Amino acid sequence: MKNQLKTSINRRTFVKNGLTAAGAATVGGGLLATSSSAFAKKGSEEHSGRLTKGDAAILRFLAAAEILETDLWQQYNELGGIQDSEVPGGSGSVLYTAALAVLDADMAQYIHDNTEDELTHEVFINAFLASKGADTVNLDEFRTLASSKATGAQQIGRLTNLMQLTVDTSWWTRYRSGSKNPDFGDSFDQAVPSLNVGQHPAIPKTDDDLTPDDHIQAIANTAGFHFGTIEQGGTSLYPSLAQRVTDPDVLRIVLSIGPTEAMHFQTWSDKAGNARPLTDPKDSSLVFPDLNSPPFGGEEFQTNLIMPEPTIFLSRKLPACSIVRPTATKGAAMGAANFLTAMGLFIGQSSAFFELLRDLAEDADDAKRRSG
Ligand SMILES: [Fe+2]
Ligand SMILES: [Fe+2]
């Protein structure tokens, strides 16, 4: 296992150095499951198969992002979703599920469906890469983080940590602003300022977190906003990367998966507005405000304003447009990696993990659309 980690750190080096180093990395295995034939062919140093180097890199970054999404959604589903043959694992937490249901009676179903969707994104993108003879992504050796100890969670190694989150809730005001756009350098107020500082659990860490009522509700509220934070990220990531895709089938993949992230985001954007205003009795710094009352309320906070407000796009000289934001393509993959890291999702991960995530993001951001 030690050797595997060591070789994975050097993935970028082996890609550049070609066959010899690549062979060594294959022995290490794990991260990039490479078919042996890919190494036999001269000129296949990038392991892109019949895809362009850029397309393969973009799809690999997206596969990694989807694997990470699946891992976090799986943890939510085990405790607060519906455990069935489509999304197996865990046995549910009655009190956490009930607290989530305060946001919407169908929360468990939505959590289940979002989890299943991410799993299919991950499996499909990797299968497509493999079908083109390109390297796929496998993060199994990084499934090392602890599970929740609350009743209902499986005790297995995880890729992501949902128990120390710092949740950026600025998407709430970003999509309600009619005059600002992050692609113009604008910044946005937080809907729940205290979620964006400190570290907060979005699932119960142990059964002690199930009481009192307002504490487990604070955890469910945190999850409710985190759902939106995650899915608005996917909503921006796909159109951002689509601009540098070359192959029509790869473009079709990113244009067909991306909007499902937007469907998730739209749902969560609606449900987060139902988070009950409260102060966490076990952490008085965590306050969920009434978003419909001063100093909140109005166009930027009112909870029924869940559709994107038209805003500036491309040029201030053009008319306002209802759009996904941001969608700038430069550095989009690294931006996504940094965004996930900053929310604390990977607290406890090894340096090899971060190195690989950076490598995958750098390669995706190096991709250029080829014409003709
Ligand atoms: Fe996804
Ligand atoms: Fe997603």
Side-chain angles (χ1 to χ4, degrees), residues 66 69 73 114 117-118 121 230-231 234-235 260-261 264:
E66 295 291 352
E69 268 200 294
W73 276 110
N114 205 140
D117 289 0
E118 308 304 0
H121 292 166
I230 283 292
E231 298 303 311
T235 298
T260 70
E261 305 287 344
H264 299 156

Side-chain angles (χ1 to χ4, degrees), residues 310-345:
T311 194
I312 50 171
F313 183 40
L314 291 176
S315 162
R316 290 180 195 277
K317 292 178 185 150
L318 291 166
C321 189
S322 182
I323 43 152
V324 166
R325 62 202 83 162
T327 54
T329 192
K330 189 165 187 282
M334 192 62 77
N338 288 337
F339 159 77
L340 295 172
T341 303
M343 74 173 61
L345 201 58

